[in-house]
Amino acid sequence: MPNILITGANRGIGLEFARHYTHEGWDVIATAREPGEAGDLAATGARVLALDLADPASVDAFVAELGDTPIDVLLSNAGVMGPMVPDRDGWMDTFAVNTVAPTLLALRLKPNLKAGRLKKAIATTSRMGSIADNDSGGFYAYRSSKAALNAAWKSLAIEFKADDIAVAVVHPGWVQTDMGGPNAMIDTKTSIAGLAKIVNELDLATTGRFWDYSGDEIAW
């Protein structure tokens, strides 16, 4: 069976991704900042590795532990909401986790993706990162970090295409998680069912696009 690497999998959407793919029989490598505290993730049967994207030493250790393991699908899911009221340090921290770290990790894992069979890289973004769709304002740190993530992964899609690696960014919807809150529109199972379909259908003909969990393309 194929394998998938899921970052930020200890709760919410990442955890549901791990449950989905282990249930489908995939080999799942999932990351958490504190594996010892990720009991629900371990219960899925995934191989749980330590990774704190905000800590360069943790990233180095993770990449070293992964070694030359082939990766069929990279699912970059780790992220933070950031400060609601903009401040310099909080804004920069949000960019570090939501934009810089996942992009650098994807670049470092390019050899692993090249060695995989399916050769797919997907980042969880947000419709709030769409400039065209912004009609309510606010959320400066989160919106801008996701817009920057989208731009960076568009570049990855162009660069990685030469190595037959397909890339996409996906909006999971407003989901009932710790980040989305109890009043969100959909549950994690609904979101993951739609996103898994996108992962399955992603190929070089559709690389570099921005998708909603329902399969609709989102304007940048």
Side-chain angles (χ1 to χ4, degrees), residues 4 37-38 45 54 56 66 79 81 94 96 100 108 125 147 178-179 182-183 194 208:
I4 185 169
E37 299 175 8
L66 201 60
M81 179 60 73
T94 305
V100 178
R108 293 184 69 172
T125 183
D178 289 346
M179 183 180 289
N183 297 321

Side-chain angles (χ1 to χ4, degrees), residues 110 155-167 204-205 207:
K110 184 179 179 183
S155 289
L156 285 181
I158 295 168
E159 178 182 332
F160 282 16
K161 190 172 184 178
D163 293 296
D164 298 326
I165 302 169
V167 176
L204 293 178
T207 192

